[in-house]
Amino acid sequence: MKFSLGALLLVATSSTVIQGAYVAPTSNYDRCLTPSEAEDIKTAISNGVDVDLFPDKVFPDQSSYWEIEYHGTYKILKNTQDTINTQYLLYQCGLADMPFDETELAQFDSVFSVPYEGGLVVTATTQIPNIEILGRRDQISAFAVTENL
């Protein structure tokens, strides 16, 4: 009877872990996380799992004046040009908990969830093909030119 009870507990434990388990992404999310995905990620982090929501990383190989630092659920993009020198916090859309408090957030010039889903404004028709390549044409919300401003 001990063996059956032990086996039953083992099966029950295994199924609980499988149902709510964090599964690491193989590529960056192209959408916001669902509430259940966000909950699984929060649970994994609280259990000490090393979460990486940005497995596809970019680096400034053939460009200058910018750097990017990757952290588990967010990344920091820096414009390092002497006259600009700005920092942007980019966190995974769908995660409600920010990795910083109000004081720490003040160090960033802007904070965005990614992928950004707040609409895009284009200022020239030549920008549209690049937006289409990214699969974000439906995000275009306005066309602004100097004459319209």
Side-chain angles (χ1 to χ4, degrees), residues 56-77:
D56 297 331
K57 298 181 177 23
V58 296
F59 298 98
D61 291 334
Q62 298 181 16
S63 59
S64 303
Y65 302 123
W66 68 279
E67 299 172 356
I68 191 162
E69 298 172 10
Y70 288 92
H71 304 273
T73 59
Y74 66 94
K75 46 192 166 184
I76 299 171
L77 178 64

Side-chain angles (χ1 to χ4, degrees), residues 65-135:
Y65 302 123
W66 68 279
E67 299 172 356
I68 191 162
E69 298 172 10
Y70 288 92
H71 304 273
T73 59
Y74 66 94
K75 46 192 166 184
I76 299 171
L77 178 64
K78 297 178 182 180
N79 183 338
T80 59
Q81 190 172 5
D82 293 338
T83 57
I84 298 175
N85 199 23
T86 53
Q87 292 190 86
Y88 306 96
L89 174 64
L90 311 172
Y91 68 94
Q92 178 59 50
C93 181
L95 287 178
D97 296 336
M98 292 296 286
F100 299 96
D101 63 26
E102 293 282 331
T103 306
E104 294 169 319
L105 283 175
Q107 70 182 311
F108 301 104
D109 294 281
S110 293
V111 177
F112 298 100
S113 63
V114 291
Y116 181 71
E117 295 186 341
L120 299 171
V121 175
V122 294
T123 57
T125 56
T126 55
Q127 297 167 337
I128 295 173
N130 293 318
I131 294 169
E132 287 177 335
I133 289 170
L134 296 171

